[in-house]
Amino acid sequence: MYKLLLCVLLAGVSTAHYAQTKEVGVSFIETPIRIDGVLDEAAWDKAVPATNFWQYFPTDTIQAPYQSEIRFLYNDKTLYVGIKVSAQGDDYIVPSLRRDFRAGGSDNITLMFDTFNDGNNAFLFGSNPAGVRREALVSGGGKDLRGFTTSWDTKWVGETTVHDGYYVCEWAIPMSAFKYREGETRWRFNSYQFDTQDNSRNTWIQIPQNQNIFNLAYMGDMVFEKPLGSSKSPISIIPYVNAIAGQDRELDDNFTEIKVGGDARFTIGNSLNLDVTINPDFSQVEVDNAITNLSRFEVGLPERRQFFIENSDLFADFGDPGAANPFFSRRIGIAEDLDGNTVQNNIVAGARLSGKLTNKLRVGILNMQTENDEPIEIASTNNTVVALQHSVFSRSNISAIFVNKQNTSDAGFVQPEEEYNRLIGLDYNLANKDNSWNGKFYLHKSFTPGIDSKDYSGGARMEYNKNNWRATSATLFINEDFNSELGFIPRKDIFRNFSKVERLFFPKGGTINRHIFSLNSFFVWRPEVAFTLGDRTLSPQWEAQFKNTSSLSAKPRTRYTKLFDSFDPSRSDGLELPEGSEYRYTNLEVEYKSDQRKKFYYTANTTYGEFFNGEILTLRAEATLRLQPKLVLGINARYDNIDLPASYADNRIWLVSPRVDVTFSKNLFWNTLVQYSTLQDNFGINSRLQWRFAPLSDLFLVYNDNYFTDTTFAPRFRSINLKLTYWLYL
């Protein structure tokens, strides 16, 4: 055992070097730069650019044929960025004018700044040829998309001008938008650029294709002419007023309401943020996408509420995200009523302190108070999370978490076992310098009144990613009485192992960029039921990624399931398969994704084969038509045909979600999402008009309408609200 631990630690201190050692100077200036997309100030001519970009796609071994140049200037308050992006023409793809665009399938350039030089977290800023901007936070070393958060907002300015064969971006980013250590002289930095005309993706630091293009292991340095001083952020006060009118047609209740509340943001030093919210309102947040869940377990949905976003990795990156996550922020503000229905539970107030105490120590403290709702027997609670993260070795860290959900009501309906729920945990997150090895090792214990044993969860995961080979092995256990009421734990009393081996081939010619062959295995045992095997999945897979960005994949699966509770696979309230029954079944999934650079692109997916004791045919399609840059039309559709033997129910399940996204300008947007789900017995419309009338200040007009679809098309709920949010800087 000690040898295994030694290998893990040695991986963390690997002597592997970054792909390149490159640096770019950042010159100090006294005179501010005018942001107009024209680099005509004399200071720009003196700045030596970061250039010599490398291709990342379709190959990672040559320099980009069309180069970008990035220049930096700064003063005590602002970082100025001047960028020239060369291209073979001016036929750029700009799908819309909406801020925080996705990079894939469009022309754009993105810069990432690792201000604490730890290879784990970075600030990201980007722009496209139309001057549309985006900003994001990258966490977890950029090893996967879970660490990519575009919901983060900060105030900065930028302009873009288009010329024959190139476009120019000029930015001014306040130093207060970053968090960094006073006196620092270097930040780690990288940039990546998408060129749809040349069909290439390029990076300043050379990155192998087996790694993500935003991976933070591969970065150079930007060197400041003199040490950075203190950059105190202004105090931000963000009040809102929301007027809402609605009809709950199930309860025959018409209502009107005016809500007032707001947030405040304070910076402590250069590296800590204190965020306070009073009577928060999230009515303008885009609704969740409807899903068809045919599994026996709950599915987690992403957090969309702005207050919970910044530094969210500090709180959320513990345990296993899909099986044993001790803190899942979406649990705050929802509860179950007397009938077991999930309902909104208003948040009274909250605060969050997050950031760096030292260059190696991050801290996060979150406290939220929810209100008492006695008519439906929902008790008020105080929800607290404390997280600490200390960097070790090259890019690894040790993290600790404490979670506490405490009853603050004296209501008589609160049972003794509901007085509190607590958890403590320790995680070791491994990442070596070139990201060829990463992993996680953790142990968590919960505390619930009346339970003093079988309340642990732990796991270990190791991933290898080097050249043409990728491999993952992950094992976890969850005791039957382990409980985190603020976490996401879809099933308990399990011992689970997942393993995956991938082999990548890169053809030298032809239309295919790479083949990926993989073998996946998934096992779940029930320790409290004589360690009985409950689930087994074996799945080989082949995927071809084409040079035009399209892809084709095939995934056969063979499965075994033993039911420990009765279950209706048709999800139609029909006759359930009996507890203790066993099933062996196979199916095949095939998927094709078209070239995302086209005005019309799509994904088609089908699954056919056995399903428990019957058969299933699943057809999924996603299509997008862009009439750039004003209009994007999209539709997601899924059809499930579940055919079970006589005496068991069949089902035909539809999910159809068309979307219309209109960007009248860079400050005025309208999008409408329609969702029809027979499984959820709902037809819903969410339409949102947003006017950004000042930096980070918005006026929203939001309309929601929902109908039952099971037997008759009957009205369910309707609301319209007008919300004004304004950012004040003191």
Side-chain angles (χ1 to χ4, degrees), residues 537-573:
T537 301
L538 300 176
S539 175
Q541 181 178 353
W542 166 76
E543 180 179 1
Q545 297 179 356
F546 297 90
K547 292 179 179 177
N548 68 353
T549 74
S550 63
S551 65
L552 176 66
S553 65
K555 181 188 294 185
R557 301 185 186 93
T558 176
R559 292 179 171 177
Y560 165 82
T561 300
K562 180 181 177 66
L563 295 179
F564 295 92
D565 298 288
S566 59
F567 174 65
D568 173 22
S570 71
R571 306 300 299 270
S572 62
D573 297 324

Side-chain angles (χ1 to χ4, degrees), residues 153-430:
D153 281 325
T154 192
K155 182 180 178 182
W156 61 292
V157 296
E159 294 293 338
T160 299
T161 55
V162 177
H163 306 267
D164 185 16
Y166 66 96
Y167 62 94
V168 174
C169 304
E170 190 173 32
W171 301 346
I173 308 173
M175 298 300 290
S176 59
F178 303 98
K179 300 294 177 288
Y180 57 89
R181 184 179 61 179
E182 184 177 353
E184 187 61 78
T185 59
R186 287 176 179 263
W187 290 355
R188 296 180 69 234
F189 159 75
N190 197 18
S191 173
Y192 60 87
Q193 179 248 339
F194 282 52
D195 183 343
T196 63
Q197 297 173 86
D198 187 52
N199 189 28
S200 65
R201 301 168 193 172
N202 309 304
T203 60
W204 183 53
I205 293 295
Q206 186 180 18
I207 301 178
Q209 282 193 41
N210 62 296
Q211 303 286 346
N212 287 325
I213 197 171
F214 53 88
N215 193 289
L216 303 185
Y218 298 85
M219 305 187 84
D221 288 320
M222 48 190 297
V223 182
F224 293 91
E225 184 177 338
K226 67 178 187 177
L228 296 174
S230 175
S231 179
K232 184 175 178 59
S233 298
I235 297 174
S236 301
I237 307 296
I238 315 161
Y240 79 84
V241 178
N242 185 24
I244 183 170
Q247 297 176 325
D248 189 330
R249 289 167 282 190
E250 289 185 84
L251 303 177
D252 193 22
D253 178 31
N254 297 337
F255 61 91
T256 58
E257 182 181 11
I258 295 180
K259 295 181 66 176
V260 178
D263 299 346
R265 294 186 174 183
F266 309 86
T267 297
I268 301 174
N270 274 32
S271 308
L272 284 172
N273 277 349
L274 175 62
D275 297 271
V276 178
T277 185
I278 299 175
N279 195 27
D281 173 82
F282 307 109
S283 59
Q284 87 284 0
V285 175
E286 188 175 1
V287 298
D288 291 318
N289 293 323
I291 61 172
T292 299
N293 179 17
L294 299 181
S295 76
R296 303 174 320 238
F297 311 106
E298 178 187 14
V299 175
L301 296 172
E303 178 63 82
R304 297 175 182 268
R305 297 172 295 181
Q306 179 67 30
F307 184 83
F308 295 97
I309 295 299
E310 188 167 357
N311 284 322
S312 60
D313 67 294
L314 256 174
F315 305 98
D317 194 20
F318 284 85
D320 185 281
N325 188 347
F327 177 66
F328 182 50
S329 61
R330 288 184 63 115
R331 299 292 190 207
I332 299 178
I334 63 170
E336 286 191 358
D337 63 13
L338 288 169
D339 299 321
N341 299 313
T342 299
V343 297
Q344 181 177 333
N345 181 212
N346 288 335
I347 298 173
V348 177
R352 180 190 61 211
L353 177 69
S354 60
K356 287 249 187 179
L357 285 178
T358 69
N359 210 38
K360 289 184 175 292
L361 179 61
R362 297 175 73 201
V363 61
I365 303 174
L366 175 70
N367 185 272
M368 306 292 289
Q369 178 68 40
T370 62
E371 72 176 13
N372 205 51
D373 196 344
E374 291 202 22
I376 55 176
E377 296 191 358
I378 295 176
S380 60
T381 61
N382 184 263
N383 309 275
T384 301
V385 186
V386 179
L388 299 173
Q389 183 186 94
H390 194 278
S391 298
V392 295
F393 308 130
S394 55
R395 297 174 55 241
S396 304
N397 63 72
I398 297 175
S399 302
I401 188 170
F402 169 71
V403 182
N404 183 49
K405 181 179 181 182
Q406 183 75 47
N407 170 46
T408 57
S409 169
D410 57 2
F413 57 79
V414 178
Q415 301 300 310
E417 64 271 16
E418 298 174 332
E419 282 296 328
Y420 67 84
N421 173 250
R422 295 169 187 149
L423 177 140
I424 58 173
L426 190 67
D427 290 39
Y428 172 60
N429 297 290
L430 164 71

